[in-house]
Each structure stands twice: as structure tokens, then as C-alpha cells.
Amino acid sequence: MESEKLEKDLKNKEIRGMFDGPILPLIIKLSAPIFAGMIFHLLYNITDTMWISRIDLSDPSYVGGTGIVFPIIFLFIAFSNGITVGISSLVARGIGERNTAFLNRASESGLAIAIVLGAIVVISGYIFDESILHMLGAEGDFFIHGLEYFRSEERRVGKECRSRWSPYHEKEKRKKKKFVS
């Protein structure tokens, strides 16, 4: 019964021309969100660099320190995009086959992979942050400012993970909502 309802919902949310008609417009429709996400990642890092460069115009170590950290951040972004594309492919197959059981397994597995790998990345970042920067050749002020930036990114990712997955956080949000109402 539940699978019939899910199949009906999928049919109602189906993109017109998904199973018939020219493929190029469909590819553009389906790839636009991924492309937009990558553009926003790039804009985020460009904006970071602009504001960080304004901290002290005479000291290049601020931008240099963040420049040392950027490859690590891009590596994590690449992993997350790879996982997203892979899981999206599996979900697309499930939708195309109208196989709700496979669709559910793929989406649940994707969520579990994202949570586990996210935790590994954040925890290893907290443990090995100084070692990673030393391995990348950071020294002096470049190391200090790179470490500050790396830790701020770790905190941002950690807060984002906690806000999305923490049951405690959900309870607090409900309490605040009741209080504000």
C-alpha cells in the first residue's frame, strides 16, 4: 500500500518528457542543480578570499594561509560531489525503473554514507589539522592563519552536521518555536 502511494507520488512528480522526447533538454534540466551547486561553492571560496584579504592589506600571510587550506576544502567538496552524483545516479535508476524498494535503499544508503564520511572528515580534521598543514608546507604566519581558517571551516562543518542530524538540536528548535509563538 505504501509502495503504491510512493509510486503514485513519483509519477506525479515526474519531469515531462523524461521517458520520451529529446534527451538534451532533459540532461540540461537534470544537471542544472549540480552546476549551480558547484558555482556556489566557487563563489563561497572567492568571497572568503576577498574578505580575508581585507583583514590586513600589508600582510600576505592571511590569504596565503587560506590558500594552503583551499586544496583540502576542494578535496572534501570533490568527495561530497562524487558521492552526490553516485547516489543521484542510483536514485535516478530507481525512479526510471519505478522500483520504490531500490529507491528507498539507495537514498537510505546515501544518507548513511554521507553521515559516516562526514563524521570521519570532521573528526580527522580536528585530530590532524596541524599535521596536515605542516605536510602542506605551512610555516610561520602562514601556518597560524591557515590553521585559524582550517579550524573555522571545521567548526562550520561541525555545526552544520549537528544542526542537521542532532535529535537534541531538533528538540531545541521546537522549544524555541513554541517560545516564539
Side-chain angles (χ1 to χ4, degrees):
M1 177 138 175
E2 188 177 311
S3 64
E4 290 173 9
K5 183 179 181 233
L6 185 59
E7 189 172 326
K8 187 178 177 184
D9 287 344
L10 287 175
K11 185 117 175 113
N12 291 337
K13 294 178 182 178
E14 187 177 287
I15 297 172
R16 278 183 216 266
M18 186 169 191
F19 298 108
D20 55 310
I23 195 158
L24 185 61
L26 180 64
I27 289 173
I28 292 170
K29 280 182 187 177
L30 294 175
S31 64
I34 295 169
F35 180 73
M38 294 174 119
I39 293 293
F40 283 116
H41 279 298
L42 181 63
L43 290 174
Y44 173 81
N45 288 317
I46 290 171
T47 305
D48 255 3
T49 303
M50 268 179 25
W51 285 105
I52 288 169
S53 70
R54 296 302 217 177
I55 292 173
D56 186 354
L57 296 174
S58 65
D59 187 2
S61 67
Y62 285 98
V63 175
T66 58
I68 292 170
V69 175
F70 278 152
I72 300 166
I73 293 170
F74 282 127
L75 180 68
F76 295 146
I77 290 170
F79 278 133
S80 68
N81 284 341
I83 291 168
T84 301
V85 168
I87 297 300
S88 296
S89 172
L90 291 175
V91 168
R93 287 180 192 177
I95 291 171
E97 294 172 353
R98 292 182 171 88
N99 184 345
T100 55
F102 179 78
L103 182 61
N104 289 337
R105 277 195 319 273
S107 57
E108 288 169 0
S109 298
L111 181 61
I113 290 169
I115 290 171
V116 169
L117 288 180
I120 290 170
V121 165
V122 169
I123 291 168
S124 63
Y126 278 118
I127 294 171
F128 301 112
D129 54 1
E130 291 182 20
S131 301
I132 291 169
L133 288 177
H134 280 301
M135 283 187 338
L136 292 172
E139 296 175 348
D141 285 343
F142 291 92
F143 175 80
I144 292 168
H145 299 308
L147 188 60
E148 287 174 4
Y149 184 71
F150 191 71
R151 287 182 175 163
S152 72
E153 287 296 300
E154 287 173 334
R155 284 191 300 273
R156 183 185 63 79
V157 170
K159 284 179 185 176
E160 197 172 304
C161 289
R162 282 192 305 274
S163 70
R164 290 186 181 178
W165 309 116
S166 170
Y168 171 77
H169 182 74
E170 290 301 317
K171 289 178 188 175
E172 289 299 311
K173 276 201 312 195
R174 282 192 290 260
K175 284 181 188 176
K176 287 179 184 176
K177 201 173 194 178
K178 288 179 184 177
F179 183 71
V180 172
S181 300

